[in-house]
Amino acid sequence: QVQLVESGGGLVQAGGSLRLSCAATGRTVAAATMAWFRQAPGKDRELLGYITWNGGYYADSVKGRFTISRDNAKNTIYLQMNSLKPEDTAVYYCATAKYGTVSYDYWGQGTQVTVSS
């Protein structure tokens, strides 16, 4: 059974930074596709980026501001968010897909990020 547990959300002022964590059990993050999504009220879920064993991807909306990293020893991924804007307010989710795919089969419970202006 794969479980993902996010943490680190909260309230931050515009221009500030926040780091989210996603601790995984049941799947090795170094050998999987690990992604971050977000969903704002009334909007579709948005892929922010993902990390694989040999690379990754970032959406244009966060490129240069957000960074996904991985700690293999802790089997945890992170989302470092800098220069936050009020439009970054959303529930943030991590998700995992099997090696070599982007079909996400397990999701975390989500963590709220609120950016005040």
Side-chain angles (χ1 to χ4, degrees):
Q1 180 75 12
V2 177
Q3 288 189 321
L4 304 175
V5 179
E6 299 105 333
S7 61
L11 175 64
V12 63
Q13 288 189 332
S17 298
L18 211 56
R19 190 179 79 155
L20 306 183
S21 300
C22 173
T25 56
R27 180 171 289 170
T28 301
V29 300
T33 302
M34 302 296 299
W36 286 97
F37 290 78
R38 68 185 178 190
Q39 187 165 22
K43 294 190 176 182
D44 292 336
R45 185 173 59 200
E46 176 189 12
L47 171 64
L48 303 178
Y50 60 78
I51 186 170
T52 67
W53 72 276
N54 67 343
Y57 159 84
Y58 291 97
D60 287 343
S61 60
V62 303
K63 196 176 295 183
R65 296 191 302 126
F66 290 9
T67 303
I68 299 173
S69 62
R70 180 176 61 217
D71 185 331
N72 294 340
K74 294 183 178 180
N75 211 40
T76 297
I77 65 165
Y78 303 95
L79 180 66
Q80 177 67 44
M81 303 185 291
N82 299 327
S83 302
L84 283 162
K85 308 173 183 179
E87 51 264 43
D88 293 319
T89 295
V91 178
Y92 284 68
Y93 299 90
C94 66
T96 180
K98 292 180 180 177
Y99 173 81
T101 77
V102 289
S103 294
Y104 300 101
D105 51 355
Y106 292 94
W107 297 77
Q109 81 285 357
T111 186
Q112 176 70 46
V113 172
T114 303
V115 184
S116 63
S117 56

